[in-house]
Short mmCIF file of all heavy atoms in Angstrom, two decimals:
data_model
loop_
_atom_site.label_atom_id
_atom_site.label_comp_id
_atom_site.label_asym_id
_atom_site.label_seq_id
_atom_site.Cartn_x
_atom_site.Cartn_y
_atom_site.Cartn_z
N MET A 1 4.89 15.99 -13.79
CA MET A 1 5.76 15.45 -12.75
C MET A 1 4.99 15.42 -11.43
O MET A 1 4.33 16.38 -11.08
CB MET A 1 7.00 16.33 -12.61
CG MET A 1 7.94 15.87 -11.52
SD MET A 1 9.50 16.76 -11.51
CE MET A 1 10.25 16.08 -12.97
N ALA A 2 5.07 14.33 -10.74
CA ALA A 2 4.41 14.22 -9.45
C ALA A 2 5.06 15.21 -8.48
O ALA A 2 6.27 15.42 -8.51
CB ALA A 2 4.53 12.80 -8.91
N ILE A 3 4.25 15.82 -7.65
CA ILE A 3 4.73 16.87 -6.75
C ILE A 3 4.36 16.52 -5.32
O ILE A 3 3.29 15.97 -5.08
CB ILE A 3 4.09 18.22 -7.14
CG1 ILE A 3 4.48 18.59 -8.57
CG2 ILE A 3 4.50 19.34 -6.17
CD1 ILE A 3 3.68 19.75 -9.15
N TYR A 4 5.23 16.80 -4.39
CA TYR A 4 4.94 16.55 -2.99
C TYR A 4 5.48 17.71 -2.15
O TYR A 4 6.33 18.47 -2.61
CB TYR A 4 5.55 15.22 -2.54
CG TYR A 4 7.05 15.19 -2.58
CD1 TYR A 4 7.80 15.53 -1.46
CD2 TYR A 4 7.73 14.85 -3.74
CE1 TYR A 4 9.18 15.52 -1.49
CE2 TYR A 4 9.11 14.84 -3.79
CZ TYR A 4 9.83 15.17 -2.66
OH TYR A 4 11.20 15.18 -2.70
N LYS A 5 4.98 17.81 -0.92
CA LYS A 5 5.46 18.86 -0.02
C LYS A 5 6.42 18.29 1.02
O LYS A 5 7.46 18.85 1.28
CB LYS A 5 4.26 19.52 0.69
CG LYS A 5 4.65 20.65 1.62
CD LYS A 5 3.44 21.37 2.17
CE LYS A 5 3.83 22.55 3.03
NZ LYS A 5 2.66 23.28 3.54
N ASP A 6 6.05 17.18 1.61
CA ASP A 6 6.82 16.63 2.72
C ASP A 6 7.47 15.31 2.29
O ASP A 6 6.79 14.30 2.11
CB ASP A 6 5.87 16.40 3.91
CG ASP A 6 6.60 15.99 5.17
OD1 ASP A 6 7.76 15.50 5.08
OD2 ASP A 6 6.01 16.14 6.25
N ALA A 7 8.77 15.32 2.10
CA ALA A 7 9.49 14.14 1.63
C ALA A 7 9.44 12.97 2.60
O ALA A 7 9.74 11.84 2.23
CB ALA A 7 10.94 14.51 1.34
N SER A 8 9.04 13.20 3.84
CA SER A 8 9.01 12.11 4.81
C SER A 8 7.92 11.09 4.48
O SER A 8 7.91 10.00 5.03
CB SER A 8 8.81 12.65 6.23
OG SER A 8 7.51 13.17 6.39
N TYR A 9 7.01 11.45 3.56
CA TYR A 9 5.97 10.52 3.15
C TYR A 9 6.41 9.61 2.01
O TYR A 9 5.68 8.71 1.62
CB TYR A 9 4.71 11.28 2.72
CG TYR A 9 4.04 12.03 3.84
CD1 TYR A 9 3.92 13.41 3.79
CD2 TYR A 9 3.52 11.35 4.94
CE1 TYR A 9 3.31 14.11 4.81
CE2 TYR A 9 2.91 12.04 5.97
CZ TYR A 9 2.81 13.42 5.91
OH TYR A 9 2.22 14.10 6.93
N LEU A 10 7.56 9.87 1.46
CA LEU A 10 8.05 9.11 0.31
C LEU A 10 9.36 8.41 0.65
O LEU A 10 10.14 8.89 1.46
CB LEU A 10 8.26 10.03 -0.90
CG LEU A 10 7.02 10.77 -1.40
CD1 LEU A 10 7.39 11.74 -2.51
CD2 LEU A 10 5.98 9.78 -1.89
N GLN A 11 9.60 7.29 -0.01
CA GLN A 11 10.82 6.52 0.19
C GLN A 11 11.32 6.08 -1.18
O GLN A 11 10.54 5.56 -1.98
CB GLN A 11 10.52 5.30 1.06
CG GLN A 11 11.67 4.36 1.25
CD GLN A 11 11.27 3.15 2.08
OE1 GLN A 11 10.39 3.23 2.93
NE2 GLN A 11 11.90 2.02 1.84
N GLN A 12 12.59 6.28 -1.46
CA GLN A 12 13.14 5.88 -2.75
C GLN A 12 13.28 4.37 -2.81
O GLN A 12 13.58 3.71 -1.80
CB GLN A 12 14.49 6.54 -3.00
CG GLN A 12 14.98 6.28 -4.42
CD GLN A 12 16.18 7.14 -4.78
OE1 GLN A 12 16.88 7.63 -3.91
NE2 GLN A 12 16.39 7.31 -6.08
N SER A 13 13.06 3.82 -3.98
CA SER A 13 13.13 2.38 -4.18
C SER A 13 13.83 2.07 -5.49
O SER A 13 13.71 2.83 -6.46
CB SER A 13 11.71 1.80 -4.22
OG SER A 13 11.74 0.45 -4.66
N SER A 14 14.54 0.97 -5.53
CA SER A 14 15.15 0.51 -6.78
C SER A 14 14.40 -0.69 -7.35
O SER A 14 14.90 -1.40 -8.21
CB SER A 14 16.63 0.15 -6.55
OG SER A 14 16.71 -0.89 -5.58
N SER A 15 13.17 -0.90 -6.90
CA SER A 15 12.37 -2.05 -7.34
C SER A 15 12.17 -2.04 -8.86
O SER A 15 11.96 -0.99 -9.47
CB SER A 15 11.00 -2.01 -6.65
OG SER A 15 10.15 -2.98 -7.24
N GLU A 16 12.20 -3.22 -9.45
CA GLU A 16 11.94 -3.36 -10.88
C GLU A 16 10.50 -3.04 -11.23
O GLU A 16 10.17 -2.89 -12.41
CB GLU A 16 12.29 -4.78 -11.33
CG GLU A 16 13.78 -5.08 -11.24
CD GLU A 16 14.12 -6.50 -11.65
OE1 GLU A 16 13.19 -7.26 -12.01
OE2 GLU A 16 15.31 -6.84 -11.62
N ALA A 17 9.64 -2.90 -10.24
CA ALA A 17 8.24 -2.54 -10.49
C ALA A 17 8.14 -1.18 -11.17
O ALA A 17 7.15 -0.90 -11.84
CB ALA A 17 7.46 -2.52 -9.18
N PHE A 18 9.17 -0.37 -11.03
CA PHE A 18 9.16 0.97 -11.61
C PHE A 18 9.76 1.01 -13.03
O PHE A 18 9.86 2.07 -13.63
CB PHE A 18 9.92 1.95 -10.71
CG PHE A 18 9.30 2.13 -9.35
CD1 PHE A 18 9.76 1.41 -8.26
CD2 PHE A 18 8.23 3.00 -9.16
CE1 PHE A 18 9.18 1.56 -7.00
CE2 PHE A 18 7.65 3.16 -7.92
CZ PHE A 18 8.12 2.43 -6.83
N ASP A 19 10.19 -0.14 -13.54
CA ASP A 19 10.86 -0.19 -14.84
C ASP A 19 9.95 -0.72 -15.95
O ASP A 19 10.33 -0.69 -17.12
CB ASP A 19 12.09 -1.11 -14.77
CG ASP A 19 13.10 -0.61 -13.75
OD1 ASP A 19 13.17 0.61 -13.52
OD2 ASP A 19 13.81 -1.46 -13.17
N GLN A 20 8.78 -1.22 -15.60
CA GLN A 20 7.91 -1.89 -16.56
C GLN A 20 6.85 -0.93 -17.11
O GLN A 20 6.26 -0.17 -16.35
CB GLN A 20 7.22 -3.07 -15.85
CG GLN A 20 6.27 -3.85 -16.71
CD GLN A 20 6.98 -4.76 -17.68
OE1 GLN A 20 7.99 -5.38 -17.33
NE2 GLN A 20 6.49 -4.83 -18.88
N ASP A 21 6.64 -0.96 -18.42
CA ASP A 21 5.57 -0.18 -19.04
C ASP A 21 4.37 -1.08 -19.33
O ASP A 21 4.55 -2.26 -19.66
CB ASP A 21 6.05 0.46 -20.35
CG ASP A 21 7.06 1.57 -20.11
OD1 ASP A 21 7.21 2.00 -18.96
OD2 ASP A 21 7.69 1.99 -21.09
N TYR A 22 3.18 -0.53 -19.22
CA TYR A 22 1.93 -1.28 -19.43
C TYR A 22 1.09 -0.56 -20.46
O TYR A 22 1.01 0.67 -20.49
CB TYR A 22 1.15 -1.40 -18.11
CG TYR A 22 1.94 -2.12 -17.04
CD1 TYR A 22 2.73 -1.41 -16.15
CD2 TYR A 22 1.92 -3.50 -16.95
CE1 TYR A 22 3.48 -2.07 -15.18
CE2 TYR A 22 2.66 -4.17 -15.99
CZ TYR A 22 3.44 -3.45 -15.11
OH TYR A 22 4.19 -4.08 -14.16
N GLY A 23 0.44 -1.33 -21.30
CA GLY A 23 -0.38 -0.77 -22.35
C GLY A 23 -1.73 -0.30 -21.84
O GLY A 23 -2.13 -0.61 -20.70
N PRO A 24 -2.46 0.44 -22.67
CA PRO A 24 -3.80 0.92 -22.30
C PRO A 24 -4.72 -0.25 -21.97
O PRO A 24 -4.72 -1.26 -22.67
CB PRO A 24 -4.28 1.64 -23.56
CG PRO A 24 -3.05 1.93 -24.35
CD PRO A 24 -2.06 0.86 -24.01
N GLY A 25 -5.45 -0.12 -20.89
CA GLY A 25 -6.40 -1.15 -20.50
C GLY A 25 -5.79 -2.34 -19.77
O GLY A 25 -6.51 -3.26 -19.39
N ALA A 26 -4.49 -2.31 -19.54
CA ALA A 26 -3.84 -3.41 -18.80
C ALA A 26 -4.19 -3.31 -17.32
O ALA A 26 -4.45 -2.22 -16.81
CB ALA A 26 -2.32 -3.34 -18.99
N ALA A 27 -4.18 -4.44 -16.66
CA ALA A 27 -4.41 -4.45 -15.22
C ALA A 27 -3.23 -3.77 -14.53
O ALA A 27 -2.08 -4.09 -14.82
CB ALA A 27 -4.55 -5.88 -14.72
N ALA A 28 -3.52 -2.84 -13.64
CA ALA A 28 -2.45 -2.16 -12.90
C ALA A 28 -1.95 -3.10 -11.81
O ALA A 28 -2.72 -3.51 -10.94
CB ALA A 28 -2.96 -0.86 -12.29
N PRO A 29 -0.67 -3.45 -11.83
CA PRO A 29 -0.16 -4.40 -10.85
C PRO A 29 -0.03 -3.80 -9.44
O PRO A 29 0.01 -4.53 -8.46
CB PRO A 29 1.20 -4.80 -11.41
CG PRO A 29 1.62 -3.62 -12.23
CD PRO A 29 0.36 -3.04 -12.79
N HIS A 30 0.04 -2.48 -9.36
CA HIS A 30 0.20 -1.82 -8.07
C HIS A 30 -0.66 -0.56 -8.05
O HIS A 30 -0.87 0.08 -9.07
CB HIS A 30 1.66 -1.40 -7.84
CG HIS A 30 2.62 -2.53 -7.94
ND1 HIS A 30 2.72 -3.52 -6.98
CD2 HIS A 30 3.51 -2.86 -8.90
CE1 HIS A 30 3.64 -4.39 -7.33
NE2 HIS A 30 4.14 -4.02 -8.49
N ALA A 31 -1.11 -0.18 -6.87
CA ALA A 31 -1.80 1.09 -6.71
C ALA A 31 -0.77 2.21 -6.72
O ALA A 31 0.37 2.02 -6.30
CB ALA A 31 -2.55 1.11 -5.39
N GLY A 32 -1.15 3.38 -7.19
CA GLY A 32 -0.25 4.51 -7.13
C GLY A 32 -0.44 5.47 -8.28
O GLY A 32 -1.52 5.56 -8.86
N ILE A 33 0.62 6.19 -8.59
CA ILE A 33 0.61 7.16 -9.68
C ILE A 33 1.36 6.56 -10.86
O ILE A 33 2.48 6.06 -10.71
CB ILE A 33 1.28 8.48 -9.25
CG1 ILE A 33 0.53 9.09 -8.06
CG2 ILE A 33 1.33 9.46 -10.42
CD1 ILE A 33 1.21 10.31 -7.46
N TYR A 34 0.72 6.59 -12.01
CA TYR A 34 1.33 6.12 -13.25
C TYR A 34 1.51 7.30 -14.18
O TYR A 34 0.68 8.22 -14.21
CB TYR A 34 0.44 5.07 -13.93
CG TYR A 34 0.47 3.72 -13.24
CD1 TYR A 34 -0.21 3.51 -12.06
CD2 TYR A 34 1.19 2.66 -13.79
CE1 TYR A 34 -0.19 2.28 -11.42
CE2 TYR A 34 1.22 1.42 -13.16
CZ TYR A 34 0.53 1.24 -11.98
OH TYR A 34 0.57 0.01 -11.35
N GLN A 35 2.57 7.28 -14.96
CA GLN A 35 2.82 8.33 -15.94
C GLN A 35 2.84 7.72 -17.33
O GLN A 35 3.42 6.65 -17.54
CB GLN A 35 4.16 9.02 -15.67
CG GLN A 35 4.42 10.19 -16.61
CD GLN A 35 5.75 10.87 -16.31
OE1 GLN A 35 6.80 10.38 -16.69
NE2 GLN A 35 5.68 11.99 -15.61
N CYS A 36 2.22 8.42 -18.28
CA CYS A 36 2.28 8.00 -19.69
C CYS A 36 3.67 8.39 -20.21
O CYS A 36 4.06 9.56 -20.11
CB CYS A 36 1.18 8.67 -20.50
SG CYS A 36 1.31 8.31 -22.27
N MET A 37 4.39 7.42 -20.74
CA MET A 37 5.75 7.67 -21.20
C MET A 37 5.77 8.46 -22.51
O MET A 37 6.81 8.98 -22.91
CB MET A 37 6.50 6.35 -21.38
CG MET A 37 6.75 5.60 -20.08
SD MET A 37 7.90 6.48 -18.98
CE MET A 37 6.78 7.27 -17.83
N GLY A 38 4.62 8.60 -23.16
CA GLY A 38 4.57 9.36 -24.41
C GLY A 38 4.40 10.85 -24.17
O GLY A 38 5.08 11.68 -24.78
N CYS A 39 3.49 11.23 -23.26
CA CYS A 39 3.17 12.66 -23.08
C CYS A 39 3.37 13.13 -21.64
O CYS A 39 3.15 14.29 -21.33
CB CYS A 39 1.73 12.92 -23.51
SG CYS A 39 0.49 12.13 -22.45
N HIS A 40 3.75 12.22 -20.73
CA HIS A 40 4.06 12.52 -19.32
C HIS A 40 2.83 12.91 -18.49
O HIS A 40 2.97 13.42 -17.38
CB HIS A 40 5.17 13.58 -19.20
CG HIS A 40 6.44 13.14 -19.87
ND1 HIS A 40 7.44 14.01 -20.20
CD2 HIS A 40 6.86 11.94 -20.30
CE1 HIS A 40 8.42 13.35 -20.79
NE2 HIS A 40 8.08 12.08 -20.86
N ARG A 41 1.64 12.66 -19.02
CA ARG A 41 0.42 12.84 -18.24
C ARG A 41 0.43 11.81 -17.10
O ARG A 41 0.93 10.70 -17.27
CB ARG A 41 -0.77 12.56 -19.16
CG ARG A 41 -2.14 12.62 -18.52
CD ARG A 41 -3.18 12.13 -19.53
NE ARG A 41 -3.02 12.79 -20.81
CZ ARG A 41 -3.82 13.74 -21.27
NH1 ARG A 41 -4.86 14.11 -20.58
NH2 ARG A 41 -3.58 14.28 -22.44
N GLU A 42 -0.11 12.19 -15.96
CA GLU A 42 -0.12 11.28 -14.81
C GLU A 42 -1.54 10.96 -14.38
O GLU A 42 -2.44 11.79 -14.51
CB GLU A 42 0.64 11.91 -13.63
CG GLU A 42 2.11 12.10 -13.92
CD GLU A 42 2.82 13.00 -12.93
OE1 GLU A 42 2.14 13.61 -12.08
OE2 GLU A 42 4.04 13.11 -13.03
N ILE A 43 -1.72 9.76 -13.85
CA ILE A 43 -3.02 9.34 -13.33
C ILE A 43 -2.79 8.60 -12.01
O ILE A 43 -1.72 8.03 -11.80
CB ILE A 43 -3.81 8.45 -14.32
CG1 ILE A 43 -2.99 7.24 -14.75
CG2 ILE A 43 -4.21 9.26 -15.56
CD1 ILE A 43 -3.48 5.95 -14.22
N GLY A 44 -3.79 8.64 -11.14
CA GLY A 44 -3.76 7.85 -9.92
C GLY A 44 -4.69 6.67 -10.09
O GLY A 44 -5.76 6.79 -10.72
N ILE A 45 -4.28 5.52 -9.57
CA ILE A 45 -5.11 4.32 -9.75
C ILE A 45 -5.08 3.48 -8.48
O ILE A 45 -4.03 3.38 -7.83
CB ILE A 45 -4.66 3.53 -11.00
CG1 ILE A 45 -5.69 2.50 -11.39
CG2 ILE A 45 -3.29 2.90 -10.78
CD1 ILE A 45 -5.55 2.01 -12.81
N ALA A 46 -6.24 2.91 -8.15
CA ALA A 46 -6.33 2.06 -6.97
C ALA A 46 -5.96 0.63 -7.33
O ALA A 46 -5.99 0.23 -8.50
CB ALA A 46 -7.76 2.11 -6.42
N ALA A 47 -5.62 -0.14 -6.32
CA ALA A 47 -5.25 -1.54 -6.53
C ALA A 47 -6.41 -2.30 -7.18
O ALA A 47 -7.57 -2.07 -6.85
CB ALA A 47 -4.89 -2.17 -5.20
N GLY A 48 -6.09 -3.17 -8.13
CA GLY A 48 -7.08 -4.02 -8.76
C GLY A 48 -7.81 -3.38 -9.93
O GLY A 48 -8.65 -4.02 -10.56
N ASN A 49 -7.51 -2.12 -10.25
CA ASN A 49 -8.16 -1.45 -11.39
C ASN A 49 -7.32 -1.62 -12.64
O ASN A 49 -6.17 -2.02 -12.59
CB ASN A 49 -8.35 0.03 -11.09
CG ASN A 49 -9.47 0.27 -10.10
OD1 ASN A 49 -10.01 -0.66 -9.54
ND2 ASN A 49 -9.80 1.52 -9.88
N VAL A 50 -7.93 -1.26 -13.78
CA VAL A 50 -7.20 -1.31 -15.03
C VAL A 50 -6.75 0.10 -15.41
O VAL A 50 -7.41 1.09 -15.07
CB VAL A 50 -8.02 -1.93 -16.18
CG1 VAL A 50 -8.36 -3.39 -15.88
CG2 VAL A 50 -9.27 -1.13 -16.44
N LEU A 51 -5.64 0.17 -16.13
CA LEU A 51 -5.11 1.46 -16.58
C LEU A 51 -6.01 2.02 -17.68
O LEU A 51 -6.70 1.27 -18.37
CB LEU A 51 -3.68 1.26 -17.09
CG LEU A 51 -2.71 0.86 -15.97
CD1 LEU A 51 -1.46 0.21 -16.55
CD2 LEU A 51 -2.34 2.08 -15.14
N PRO A 52 -6.05 3.35 -17.83
CA PRO A 52 -6.93 3.95 -18.84
C PRO A 52 -6.72 3.34 -20.23
O PRO A 52 -5.60 3.00 -20.60
CB PRO A 52 -6.53 5.43 -18.80
CG PRO A 52 -6.04 5.64 -17.41
CD PRO A 52 -5.33 4.36 -17.06
N THR A 53 -7.81 3.26 -20.95
CA THR A 53 -7.79 2.60 -22.25
C THR A 53 -7.26 3.54 -23.35
O THR A 53 -6.98 4.71 -23.10
CB THR A 53 -9.20 2.12 -22.62
OG1 THR A 53 -10.07 3.25 -22.59
CG2 THR A 53 -9.70 1.08 -21.63
N LEU A 54 -7.19 3.01 -24.54
CA LEU A 54 -6.60 3.71 -25.68
C LEU A 54 -7.25 5.06 -25.93
O LEU A 54 -6.58 6.01 -26.34
CB LEU A 54 -6.72 2.82 -26.92
CG LEU A 54 -5.87 3.18 -28.13
CD1 LEU A 54 -4.39 3.21 -27.76
CD2 LEU A 54 -6.11 2.18 -29.25
N GLY A 55 -8.57 5.21 -25.69
CA GLY A 55 -9.25 6.46 -25.95
C GLY A 55 -9.10 7.50 -24.85
O GLY A 55 -9.71 8.56 -24.93
N HIS A 56 -8.31 7.23 -23.84
CA HIS A 56 -8.16 8.13 -22.70
C HIS A 56 -7.64 9.50 -23.12
O HIS A 56 -8.12 10.53 -22.66
CB HIS A 56 -7.23 7.50 -21.67
CG HIS A 56 -7.02 8.32 -20.44
ND1 HIS A 56 -5.88 9.06 -20.21
CD2 HIS A 56 -7.82 8.52 -19.37
CE1 HIS A 56 -5.99 9.67 -19.03
NE2 HIS A 56 -7.15 9.36 -18.50
N HIS A 57 -6.63 9.52 -23.96
CA HIS A 57 -6.09 10.78 -24.48
C HIS A 57 -5.38 10.52 -25.80
O HIS A 57 -5.01 9.40 -26.09
CB HIS A 57 -5.19 11.46 -23.45
CG HIS A 57 -3.95 10.69 -23.09
ND1 HIS A 57 -3.94 9.65 -22.18
CD2 HIS A 57 -2.67 10.81 -23.52
CE1 HIS A 57 -2.72 9.18 -22.05
NE2 HIS A 57 -1.93 9.85 -22.86
N ALA A 58 -5.19 11.59 -26.56
CA ALA A 58 -4.58 11.47 -27.88
C ALA A 58 -3.10 11.84 -27.83
O ALA A 58 -2.68 12.65 -26.99
CB ALA A 58 -5.30 12.38 -28.87
N HIS A 59 -2.33 11.23 -28.72
CA HIS A 59 -0.91 11.52 -28.85
C HIS A 59 -0.61 12.02 -30.25
O HIS A 59 -1.29 11.67 -31.20
CB HIS A 59 -0.09 10.23 -28.64
CG HIS A 59 0.19 9.93 -27.21
ND1 HIS A 59 0.96 8.85 -26.83
CD2 HIS A 59 -0.17 10.55 -26.06
CE1 HIS A 59 1.05 8.83 -25.52
NE2 HIS A 59 0.37 9.84 -25.03
N THR A 60 0.45 12.80 -30.35
CA THR A 60 0.99 13.11 -31.67
C THR A 60 1.79 11.90 -32.14
O THR A 60 2.12 11.01 -31.34
CB THR A 60 1.92 14.34 -31.60
OG1 THR A 60 3.06 14.00 -30.79
CG2 THR A 60 1.21 15.55 -31.01
N THR A 61 2.15 11.89 -33.39
CA THR A 61 2.93 10.78 -33.92
C THR A 61 4.25 10.64 -33.17
O THR A 61 4.67 9.52 -32.84
CB THR A 61 3.20 11.00 -35.42
OG1 THR A 61 1.94 11.14 -36.09
CG2 THR A 61 3.97 9.83 -36.02
N SER A 62 4.89 11.76 -32.85
CA SER A 62 6.19 11.69 -32.19
C SER A 62 6.10 11.18 -30.75
O SER A 62 7.10 10.70 -30.20
CB SER A 62 6.88 13.06 -32.22
OG SER A 62 6.13 13.99 -31.46
N GLN A 63 4.92 11.27 -30.13
CA GLN A 63 4.76 10.77 -28.76
C GLN A 63 4.59 9.26 -28.72
O GLN A 63 4.71 8.65 -27.66
CB GLN A 63 3.55 11.45 -28.09
CG GLN A 63 3.79 12.92 -27.79
CD GLN A 63 2.55 13.62 -27.28
OE1 GLN A 63 1.43 13.33 -27.72
NE2 GLN A 63 2.73 14.55 -26.36
N GLY A 64 4.30 8.66 -29.85
CA GLY A 64 4.16 7.20 -29.90
C GLY A 64 2.89 6.73 -29.21
O GLY A 64 1.94 7.49 -29.03
N SER A 65 2.91 5.48 -28.80
CA SER A 65 1.74 4.88 -28.18
C SER A 65 1.65 5.23 -26.70
O SER A 65 2.63 5.69 -26.09
CB SER A 65 1.78 3.36 -28.35
OG SER A 65 2.94 2.85 -27.72
N ILE A 66 0.50 5.00 -26.09
CA ILE A 66 0.32 5.20 -24.65
C ILE A 66 1.02 4.05 -23.92
O ILE A 66 0.74 2.89 -24.18
CB ILE A 66 -1.17 5.25 -24.27
CG1 ILE A 66 -1.85 6.47 -24.91
CG2 ILE A 66 -1.35 5.24 -22.76
CD1 ILE A 66 -3.36 6.52 -24.71
N ARG A 67 1.96 4.38 -23.05
CA ARG A 67 2.66 3.39 -22.21
C ARG A 67 2.64 3.91 -20.79
O ARG A 67 3.21 4.96 -20.51
CB ARG A 67 4.12 3.21 -22.65
CG ARG A 67 4.30 2.56 -24.00
CD ARG A 67 4.67 3.56 -25.09
NE ARG A 67 5.82 4.40 -24.79
CZ ARG A 67 5.97 5.62 -25.33
NH1 ARG A 67 5.07 6.16 -26.11
NH2 ARG A 67 7.05 6.32 -25.06
N TRP A 68 1.96 3.18 -19.90
CA TRP A 68 1.86 3.60 -18.50
C TRP A 68 2.98 2.98 -17.69
O TRP A 68 3.25 1.80 -17.79
CB TRP A 68 0.50 3.17 -17.91
CG TRP A 68 -0.67 3.81 -18.56
CD1 TRP A 68 -1.61 3.20 -19.37
CD2 TRP A 68 -1.08 5.18 -18.45
NE1 TRP A 68 -2.55 4.11 -19.76
CE2 TRP A 68 -2.25 5.34 -19.22
CE3 TRP A 68 -0.56 6.28 -17.79
CZ2 TRP A 68 -2.92 6.56 -19.33
CZ3 TRP A 68 -1.22 7.50 -17.91
CH2 TRP A 68 -2.38 7.62 -18.67
N ARG A 69 3.61 3.80 -16.84
CA ARG A 69 4.69 3.33 -15.96
C ARG A 69 4.41 3.81 -14.54
O ARG A 69 4.10 4.99 -14.32
CB ARG A 69 6.03 3.85 -16.44
CG ARG A 69 7.21 3.33 -15.58
CD ARG A 69 8.53 3.80 -16.10
NE ARG A 69 8.82 3.27 -17.43
CZ ARG A 69 9.95 3.52 -18.10
NH1 ARG A 69 10.89 4.28 -17.56
NH2 ARG A 69 10.12 3.01 -19.30
N LEU A 70 4.57 2.90 -13.59
CA LEU A 70 4.42 3.25 -12.18
C LEU A 70 5.54 4.20 -11.77
O LEU A 70 6.72 3.89 -11.97
CB LEU A 70 4.48 1.97 -11.33
CG LEU A 70 4.37 2.16 -9.82
CD1 LEU A 70 2.96 2.61 -9.43
CD2 LEU A 70 4.72 0.85 -9.11
N ILE A 71 5.19 5.37 -11.23
CA ILE A 71 6.23 6.31 -10.77
C ILE A 71 6.17 6.52 -9.26
O ILE A 71 7.17 6.91 -8.66
CB ILE A 71 6.17 7.66 -11.52
CG1 ILE A 71 4.85 8.37 -11.30
CG2 ILE A 71 6.45 7.46 -13.01
CD1 ILE A 71 4.87 9.83 -11.77
N VAL A 72 5.00 6.30 -8.64
CA VAL A 72 4.89 6.37 -7.18
C VAL A 72 3.97 5.23 -6.73
O VAL A 72 2.84 5.12 -7.20
CB VAL A 72 4.30 7.72 -6.71
CG1 VAL A 72 4.14 7.73 -5.19
CG2 VAL A 72 5.17 8.88 -7.16
N TYR A 73 4.48 4.38 -5.88
CA TYR A 73 3.71 3.25 -5.36
C TYR A 73 2.96 3.69 -4.11
O TYR A 73 3.55 4.32 -3.22
CB TYR A 73 4.67 2.10 -5.04
CG TYR A 73 4.06 0.97 -4.26
CD1 TYR A 73 3.19 0.08 -4.87
CD2 TYR A 73 4.39 0.78 -2.92
CE1 TYR A 73 2.63 -0.97 -4.15
CE2 TYR A 73 3.84 -0.27 -2.20
CZ TYR A 73 2.96 -1.13 -2.82
OH TYR A 73 2.42 -2.16 -2.11
N ALA A 74 1.66 3.37 -4.06
CA ALA A 74 0.85 3.69 -2.87
C ALA A 74 0.74 2.43 -2.00
O ALA A 74 0.16 1.43 -2.43
CB ALA A 74 -0.53 4.17 -3.29
N ASP A 75 1.30 2.49 -0.84
CA ASP A 75 1.30 1.34 0.08
C ASP A 75 -0.02 1.30 0.83
O ASP A 75 -0.30 2.20 1.63
CB ASP A 75 2.47 1.48 1.04
CG ASP A 75 2.66 0.25 1.89
OD1 ASP A 75 1.86 -0.69 1.78
OD2 ASP A 75 3.65 0.25 2.66
N HIS A 76 -0.83 0.28 0.57
CA HIS A 76 -2.15 0.17 1.19
C HIS A 76 -2.12 -0.49 2.58
O HIS A 76 -3.11 -0.55 3.26
CB HIS A 76 -3.11 -0.65 0.31
CG HIS A 76 -3.63 0.11 -0.88
ND1 HIS A 76 -3.36 1.42 -1.12
CD2 HIS A 76 -4.41 -0.29 -1.90
CE1 HIS A 76 -3.96 1.81 -2.23
NE2 HIS A 76 -4.59 0.80 -2.73
N LYS A 77 -0.94 -1.01 2.94
CA LYS A 77 -0.85 -1.73 4.21
C LYS A 77 -0.84 -0.74 5.38
O LYS A 77 -0.13 0.27 5.34
CB LYS A 77 0.41 -2.59 4.25
CG LYS A 77 0.43 -3.71 3.22
CD LYS A 77 1.64 -4.60 3.38
CE LYS A 77 2.97 -3.92 3.18
NZ LYS A 77 3.27 -3.52 1.81
N PRO A 78 -1.61 -1.03 6.43
CA PRO A 78 -1.58 -0.15 7.60
C PRO A 78 -0.24 -0.28 8.33
O PRO A 78 0.40 -1.33 8.30
CB PRO A 78 -2.72 -0.68 8.47
CG PRO A 78 -2.92 -2.08 8.03
CD PRO A 78 -2.52 -2.17 6.58
N LYS A 79 0.19 0.78 8.97
CA LYS A 79 1.47 0.76 9.72
C LYS A 79 1.20 0.73 11.21
O LYS A 79 0.26 1.25 11.70
CB LYS A 79 2.29 2.01 9.38
CG LYS A 79 2.59 2.15 7.90
CD LYS A 79 3.52 1.05 7.44
CE LYS A 79 3.88 1.15 5.98
NZ LYS A 79 2.92 0.59 5.07
ZN1 LIG B 1 0.12 10.03 -23.15
#
């Protein structure tokens, strides 16, 4: 689970960007923290990079395939 200290750095969103799962090696549509829906491992990724490939980590049969989901969006725009 992603952890933070100061909630003022985060803002809740209902964007559909947080509802889509991406396969291993897919282009990450947004920078931020992604969680594997099979084992809940988290990774950080910069804009324009690809999500970790199939060999990144192993799953048990019950965990199913690796599916990455955006859980925290990193806003690269200056304020
Ligand atoms: Zn996993």
